[in-house]
Amino acid sequence: MRDKRFVMDYTVETSQLKQKLLKTIYSLQLKSFTTLQSASPLLHSQCGMGMVSQHQVHQLADKAKSLCGDLDNIKNLLHYCQDDLVRQIPNPTGSCYGGVSGIHCSLDGSIYVTAESAPWVHVLSSTGHTLQALPCQQMGKGGSIFLPEDVTVTRMGMVAVADMVNEAIWIFNPHARLSKKEWIKIRKVGSPRGIGVDSMGKILVADYAQGQVHSLALDHACRTLSVQSVPNLQGPRYVSPVPRGGFVVSEECGDVKVFVSSHKLPSSLSSKYGHQFGNPAGVCVDRDGSILVADEQRRTVHLFPEHGAPICLVSTGLQRPAGMACSSSGHLFVADTLENCVKVFKYCVRPPYRPTNIGASLGIHPSRVTAMVLKVFFPSCCSSAESGILIGRWISEQNSAVILAVVHFPFIPVQVKQYLGEVQRVTKVNVSVLGSWSNSKQEKEESLSEFLEDLGTIFCHEPWIQISKEGDSKFWSCSTLQKHSKNPQEEEEEIILVYYDQRKVMLSHLHPPLDTSGHGAEDSSKLWAIFDTVARSQVLFMTDRYDEGPIKLTHWQSDGVEASIIVELLKQASVPACMLLTLLLSLLSGLCTSRVLNFWPLSFLWSKLSTCEQLGHRLQHLQVVSSNKKAQNQSQLMRKANIFVSLLIDVALGILLMSWLYRKNRIGHLADTLIPVADHVAEELQDLLQWLMGAPAGLKMNRALDQVLGRFFLYHIHLWISYIHLLSPFIEMILWYVGLSACLGLTVALCLLSDIIALLTFHIYCFYVYGARLYCLKIYGLSSLWRLFRGKKWNVLRQRVDSCSYDLDQLFIGTLLFTILLFLLPTTALYYLVFTLLRLLVVIVQGLIHLLVDLIDSLPLYSLILRLCRSYRLAAGVKFRVLEQQDGKPLRLLMQINPLSYAGVVQTYRLPTYSCYPRDSWASLCKKLFLGELIYPWKHKGDKQN
């Protein structure tokens, strides 16, 4: 009772403070207006100033200046809020690269994100869903990649990035045709760090090394027309345009400077506001002209308004803020490099502009704005409820009312208010009494209608909604009552009554559309407000008619709370099981990371065997499932469920495979078949080598080199056959123990099969390596000697071809070597071609196995089963069906949920997978094959993946 009393006292105290503030401002307005009306004609008509002294004028001017400053501070403190973290958007590139660094928010609400050392620019929605991924790779010859530091979007919708490594500015047009979608290098810049676009459409580039900010004017073909530079800056990092012209730039461990459109420096923020920065990083300017600065050293974000003192918007929750952007909807996006995510804060709480009288809250009621359509969302489960009052949430931005429940007669208004205050404190939803509900089985009585109208004076909600249903009639009446309206004609408002299934809306999760531009994003945000209201009001639905209490409600669980005894027992039993599993997994992970297993030979084998990689991947899945940390949102909950179902199905399929293998002595038959197959493969390879040692396809080979290579490979085959026959007595026992691994899952068994194939074809891999190394040596030797003939050489330090003069002896020896290598090349190339084809055949087989493993690992099976059985749980949107449309009656609609498509389910909830195999592009693969570079069966540390 003490807490409730404190909440009520606090509400009363806050109301009194609001009233006092409004009266003070209104009194100042009236007094200044009255003084102006009386003083203005006197000052114009008189020659002097009467009895007013000069000291009084200066004193009044100083007090007015101080009072205006105080009013500006109060206005800013009312308009902005502090530490209101809305969501965290993880780095789209994951943990493969560095943390997020650059960020830009476009006019349509899309977010452009770059990360440290990541050759990508990701386009995200405001909720964090990936809309597009732009690889930062130069098209054409070479196809080299570059690393963007910061990103922005031009007026034409083209993406521009700053590349500090290559000292360049790149532009990408995502709206061009597919054949023209490429990055264009527009200019070389010394050390570009931050980038932006000013109000004139010019590109602003912060040059860190030279201490300048360059302004680049481009034509329609992305050619540079003019360049203007602002010098004398100390390590400029981030730059942001000002809507009225000019720009703002932050200096490392220095100040934040504001330049006007003529590129003159009127002042800096530290000198204007008296604020001391630690290490200013990201800067941005909102639509009101306020400057927002992220301080990397102090881990804060401050707002510097045009009038008033600075305001700290973010004081906690940041580890290493970098880039920053703000949207027109009042959201602040901060790139936290250390936590590798984008944190979204709500910093602007200003209501939409409505022309109202300032004295409205003092009893002077404003005239109504143009009438809007009133939308009332009514739960279909309450259509048969007894008469009472409607409780729900009023959404003023949409002029909508979401009815959550009906409170039956009789009740005590004070108890209803206390109950709603408690619900509002727990759910953080502004639940209130919105109107009355009348379900009369007989003819409507006048006393009941008068009583329902009087309830509007007790609960004081405007508009007061009155919904009534007469007997078994299908026609409903819905009206609104405006207590403070002076014009009775304005009380008539068009009403749409929307029925919705409260249970389905409560249990469903509304997914944002993939295309968040245009009206789709706006409609999605409106629907999200309805779904979020019902979902957050779960506490309201936990009371049924059997509960003893002064208030009786009707909602979707009023006949009894929906629950399952089996589910509750499983929840109780899962707690000790998860604790035990967590302990075992921690011991296992500690053993795997111990120093004993980190020595070179063992660590190399663990990282190259796909079985070990899959076991590590499943170990991470088990740690996620057994974690006692509660899921923060729907996505994390679905990820846990998908992982759990994937593990169950994987283990079930593995047990089925194991039971099939151990029936009818299939392992013995498989062991008896394996040795003859290996012998047959070896014989085929021997025949192939004998064919190559002759005259294959009528080609004339170098006889000596052909015999040396053929005998060398035949000797390896002989060694391999001896090795296989040496292991033949133990093959059945090995397969018997290998078959037991299927109990860990079908994916583990498939990975083990892939490793066995790799071991059985190890001689083919050796042949491929020998042939590739020999062929690569000759190709690079021929290319080097060809440069010698042209008077060129390769400069290792500068990584380019330079001119060089050779003497006669060098040219003669080079000619001899070039001739020898050229005549030996066909023989080497033929061996390389044959063994490369054999190697590619093995890689294709292993690739198909790993494709099946990735499919089992990544397929969101729980989400697909949920989409099949309970499609309303995964909502992509809603559709409306007209129930009744009649003149003089409210339009009645039925809201039905549109389920997410199966492709959308897979795209949204697909689980991340590992891959120990390199993913090269076709161009890179063909280049490696032509030059004889090795195609490793695992990822190489130094490889750059395209």
Side-chain angles (χ1 to χ4, degrees):
M1 292 296 293
R2 185 176 301 173
D3 295 339
K4 294 181 180 178
R5 192 173 304 159
F6 175 75
V7 172
M8 293 177 65
D9 293 342
Y10 177 75
T11 305
V12 172
E13 183 181 358
T14 304
S15 301
Q16 292 176 353
L17 285 175
K18 289 181 180 179
Q19 200 77 2
K20 185 176 182 180
L21 177 61
L22 291 174
K23 284 182 179 179
T24 303
I25 298 174
Y26 191 55
S27 299
L28 288 173
Q29 183 195 28
L30 291 178
K31 184 62 67 176
S32 61
F33 183 70
T34 305
T35 306
L36 179 64
Q37 282 184 331
S38 60
S40 180
L42 291 175
L43 292 174
H44 282 85
S45 60
Q46 293 183 4
C47 297
M49 295 186 62
M51 299 178 63
V52 180
S53 64
Q54 184 178 4
H55 173 70
Q56 289 175 331
V57 173
H58 290 311
Q59 186 178 12
L60 179 62
D62 293 338
K63 289 183 178 179
K65 183 178 180 181
S66 176
L67 183 60
C68 290
D70 293 338
L71 289 175
D72 286 333
N73 292 333
I74 290 177
K75 179 193 68 174
N76 294 333
L77 292 175
L78 288 173
H79 287 177
Y80 301 106
C81 56
Q82 187 182 44
D83 296 333
D84 189 5
L85 181 62
V86 178
R87 67 179 65 88
Q88 292 187 9
I89 302 174
N91 188 352
T93 60
S95 58
C96 301
Y97 303 96
V100 290
S101 58
I103 188 170
H104 174 79
C105 183
S106 62
L107 295 177
D108 61 353
S110 302
I111 308 170
Y112 296 76
V113 179
T114 63
E116 295 177 347
S117 304
W120 294 92
V121 174
H122 283 85
V123 186
L124 310 176
S125 65
S126 58
T127 56
H129 291 77
T130 303
L131 305 178
Q132 191 178 8
L134 304 177
C136 297
Q137 179 182 2
Q138 187 179 6
M139 303 298 291
K141 186 177 181 180
S144 61
I145 63 175
F146 56 91
L147 307 177
E149 292 287 337
D150 199 4
V151 62
T152 187
V153 178
T154 65
R155 278 184 168 185
M156 304 300 293
M158 295 185 291
V159 182
V161 297
D163 181 13
M164 183 181 288
V165 177
N166 296 317
E167 303 177 353
I169 303 297
W170 302 83
I171 278 188
F172 181 82
N173 187 4
H175 308 295
R177 291 179 297 177
L178 186 62
S179 59
K180 294 186 178 181
K181 282 188 177 182
E182 61 182 13
W183 290 93
I184 303 173
K185 183 189 292 186
I186 61 172
R187 188 173 178 84
K188 295 279 288 186
V189 181
S191 181
R193 180 63 182 87
I195 191 170
V197 177
D198 65 4
S199 58
M200 302 299 294
K202 298 180 180 179
I203 296 180
L204 302 171
V205 182
D207 194 340
Y208 180 83
Q210 298 181 4
Q212 296 179 349
V213 171
H214 307 288
S215 177
L216 311 178
L218 307 178
D219 60 2
H220 65 280
C222 298
R223 291 189 296 264
T224 305
L225 297 178
S226 63
V227 180
Q228 294 180 349
S229 300
V230 178
N232 302 325
L233 296 175
Q234 303 297 325
R237 300 181 65 187
Y238 291 89
V239 63
S240 177
V242 178
R244 300 174 185 175
F247 60 90
V248 181
V249 59
S250 62
E251 297 176 326
E252 186 171 14
C253 299
D255 203 351
V256 177
K257 296 183 178 179
V258 185
F259 292 84
V260 295
S261 57
S262 60
H263 291 179
K264 293 182 179 180
L265 177 63
S267 64
S268 62
L269 294 185
S270 62
S271 61
K272 181 180 179 181
Y273 295 92
H275 182 82
Q276 295 297 326
F277 293 97
N279 185 12
V283 292
C284 63
V285 184
D286 63 8
R287 59 183 180 179
D288 297 330
S290 301
I291 302 173
L292 293 88
V293 182
D295 198 321
E296 183 179 354
Q297 181 180 352
R298 299 181 179 178
R299 304 174 184 176
T300 58
V301 175
H302 280 79
L303 181 138
F304 299 86
E306 289 186 338
H307 304 286
I311 301 172
C312 183
L313 298 180
V314 182
S315 60
T316 59
L318 294 178
Q319 298 299 323
R320 186 186 168 192
M324 190 169 59
C326 57
S327 66
S328 58
S329 60
H331 287 89
L332 178 65
F333 303 88
V334 184
D336 197 330
T337 305
L338 193 59
E339 291 192 1
N340 199 17
C341 65
V342 176
K343 296 182 178 179
V344 185
F345 296 89
K346 180 72 175 178
Y347 79 99
C348 183
V349 293
R350 288 173 292 182
Y353 175 74
R354 291 177 182 175
T356 57
N357 190 358
I358 192 172
S361 58
L362 304 176
I364 306 174
H365 299 285
S367 59
R368 293 187 59 191
V369 197
T370 305
M372 297 174 61
V373 178
L374 175 63
K375 299 176 286 296
V376 180
F377 291 85
F378 190 83
S380 56
C381 58
C382 297
S383 59
S384 59
E386 299 177 0
S387 300
I389 55 176
L390 303 172
I391 61 175
R393 178 191 175 191
W394 172 256
I395 305 176
S396 58
E397 295 84 0
Q398 305 179 20
N399 201 33
S400 303
V402 183
I403 308 300
L404 298 174
V406 176
V407 179
H408 305 309
F409 297 123
F411 54 81
I412 301 175
V414 177
Q415 293 179 345
V416 174
K417 290 183 177 180
Q418 291 179 353
Y419 176 74
L420 293 182
E422 186 68 21
V423 171
Q424 183 174 350
R425 183 181 65 84
V426 175
T427 62
K428 307 299 181 184
V429 178
N430 190 13
V431 181
S432 59
V433 179
L434 301 180
S436 60
W437 159 254
S438 175
N439 187 8
S440 177
K441 301 297 182 181
Q442 300 174 356
E443 294 186 358
K444 194 173 184 180
E445 298 179 359
E446 295 183 359
S447 59
L448 180 60
S449 62
E450 293 177 358
F451 175 69
L452 293 176
E453 290 182 3
D454 293 338
L455 288 176
T457 61
I458 299 176
F459 293 102
C460 300
H461 184 272
E462 189 171 341
W464 183 258
I465 303 171
Q466 293 178 328
I467 304 177
S468 61
K469 177 184 178 184
E470 300 179 4
D472 297 331
S473 174
K474 67 176 182 177
F475 300 112
W476 291 40
S477 63
C478 182
S479 60
T480 58
L481 184 63
Q482 301 283 350
K483 293 290 183 180
H484 300 293
S485 179
K486 296 181 179 180
N487 190 357
Q489 295 180 356
E490 292 182 351
E491 295 183 5
E492 297 181 0
E493 192 172 18
E494 185 177 354
I495 301 174
I496 298 178
L497 194 59
V498 182
Y499 294 92
Y500 71 95
D501 192 328
Q502 199 172 57
R503 177 180 179 273
K504 291 184 177 180
V505 174
M506 172 71 192
L507 298 177
S508 65
H509 174 64
L510 183 63
H511 296 75
L514 297 179
D515 184 12
T516 57
S517 59
H519 298 286
E522 184 179 357
D523 296 340
S524 176
S525 63
K526 292 180 179 179
L527 285 176
W528 183 85
I530 309 298
F531 278 71
D532 182 66
T533 300
V534 180
R536 289 166 61 186
S537 306
Q538 187 176 3
V539 178
L540 190 66
F541 307 137
M542 299 307 294
T543 58
D544 54 24
R545 63 175 62 184
Y546 305 105
D547 293 336
E548 295 181 359
I551 299 176
K552 300 296 182 181
L553 302 174
T554 294
H555 45 76
W556 72 280
Q557 288 194 135
S558 56
D559 291 334
V561 178
E562 187 178 275
S564 173
I565 298 178
I566 299 177
V567 173
E568 294 299 326
L569 290 176
L570 288 176
K571 286 182 180 179
Q572 296 297 327
S574 63
V575 175
C578 288
M579 292 178 61
L580 180 61
L581 186 59
T582 303
L583 179 61
L584 294 176
L585 291 176
S586 62
L587 293 176
L588 184 60
S589 60
L591 179 63
C592 293
T593 56
S594 62
R595 293 185 177 180
V596 180
L597 300 179
N598 283 336
F599 289 115
W600 176 78
L602 292 178
S603 62
F604 179 80
L605 289 177
W606 301 149
S607 61
K608 304 312 177 188
L609 292 177
S610 58
T611 305
C612 298
E613 293 287 340
Q614 178 63 21
L615 287 175
H617 188 63
R618 284 307 191 189
L619 181 62
Q620 294 178 359
H621 283 178
L622 285 173
Q623 290 175 345
V624 171
V625 172
S626 61
S627 174
N628 55 0
K629 186 178 180 180
K630 189 176 180 180
Q632 300 295 327
N633 49 37
Q634 179 73 12
S635 300
Q636 293 182 4
L637 182 63
M638 295 294 289
R639 181 172 179 264
K640 275 192 173 185
N642 285 321
I643 290 174
F644 181 71
V645 174
S646 177
L647 283 171
L648 284 182
I649 294 180
D650 188 17
V651 172
L653 292 176
I655 292 175
L656 287 177
L657 175 63
M658 187 174 64
S659 63
W660 180 81
L661 286 175
Y662 286 94
R663 286 181 182 177
K664 299 180 181 179
N665 196 22
R666 287 191 174 93
I667 291 184
H669 297 312
L670 185 62
D672 295 337
T673 310
L674 189 60
I675 301 300
V677 170
D679 291 337
H680 180 70
V681 172
E683 291 176 1
E684 292 294 333
L685 285 176
Q686 287 178 347
D687 295 339
L688 179 62
L689 288 173
Q690 292 292 341
W691 178 70
L692 290 175
M693 292 171 65
L699 299 176
K700 185 171 180 61
M701 314 294 290
N702 186 278
R703 184 67 178 172
L705 181 62
D706 194 10
Q707 292 295 322
V708 169
L709 291 178
R711 291 175 182 176
F712 177 75
F713 291 132
L714 285 175
Y715 179 69
H716 274 71
I717 292 177
H718 175 71
L719 290 178
W720 184 253
I721 292 175
S722 302
Y723 172 70
I724 291 295
H725 283 281
L726 185 65
L727 289 179
S728 58
F730 309 101
I731 291 294
E732 185 175 356
M733 183 180 63
I734 293 174
L735 291 179
W736 195 89
Y737 285 108
V738 165
L740 293 177
S741 65
C743 64
L744 299 176
L746 179 62
T747 55
V748 176
L750 290 175
C751 290
L752 199 57
L753 176 62
S754 176
D755 292 336
I756 291 174
I757 293 175
L759 290 175
L760 291 178
T761 59
F762 185 70
H763 55 302
I764 297 179
Y765 177 68
C766 292
F767 295 163
Y768 163 70
V769 171
Y770 300 151
R773 289 300 187 191
L774 191 58
Y775 174 77
C776 181
L777 177 64
K778 292 188 177 181
I779 288 293
Y780 279 98
L782 288 172
S783 62
S784 179
L785 293 173
W786 177 251
R787 286 193 294 267
L788 183 141
F789 291 154
R790 296 183 296 134
K792 305 286 185 181
K793 74 170 184 178
W794 176 255
N795 193 330
V796 181
L797 296 178
R798 297 182 178 272
Q799 293 292 308
R800 68 184 186 186
V801 177
D802 294 336
S803 299
C804 182
S805 59
Y806 298 96
D807 54 18
L808 186 60
D809 295 337
Q810 291 174 332
L811 290 175
F812 177 72
I813 295 175
T815 305
L816 290 179
L817 292 176
F818 183 83
T819 306
I820 293 172
L821 291 179
L822 183 63
F823 283 112
L824 294 179
L825 181 63
T827 304
T828 308
L830 184 61
Y831 276 89
Y832 168 71
L833 176 63
V834 171
F835 292 124
T836 300
L837 292 177
L838 291 176
R839 176 61 194 159
L840 289 178
L841 180 62
V842 176
V843 169
I844 289 173
V845 174
Q846 289 182 293
L848 292 176
I849 294 175
H850 281 273
L851 187 64
L852 181 58
V853 171
D854 287 345
L855 181 64
I856 298 175
D857 283 342
S858 64
L859 201 62
L861 297 173
Y862 175 77
S863 301
L864 292 174
I865 294 172
L866 200 63
R867 170 63 179 85
L868 180 64
C869 300
R870 295 185 179 182
S871 58
Y872 61 86
R873 294 285 299 272
L874 305 175
V878 297
K879 59 183 177 181
F880 296 94
R881 183 165 62 90
V882 179
L883 296 180
E884 178 190 354
Q885 187 176 10
Q886 187 180 5
D887 295 337
K889 298 289 183 180
L891 176 63
R892 292 169 56 193
L893 302 176
L894 177 62
M895 186 177 74
Q896 298 175 336
I897 295 178
N898 273 337
L900 196 65
S901 64
Y902 287 98
V905 171
V906 175
Q907 184 177 357
T908 305
Y909 295 107
R910 186 176 183 270
L911 297 173
T913 60
Y914 84 98
S915 181
C916 61
Y917 282 82
R919 295 178 179 176
D920 295 309
S921 63
W922 287 104
S924 177
L925 182 62
C926 293
K927 179 183 177 182
K928 286 184 177 182
L929 291 175
F930 179 76
L931 296 179
E933 297 180 6
L934 289 181
I935 303 174
Y936 289 96
W938 51 74
K939 281 185 179 178
H940 230 36
K941 187 175 292 186
D943 286 349
K944 292 182 179 179
Q945 305 301 328
N946 296 324

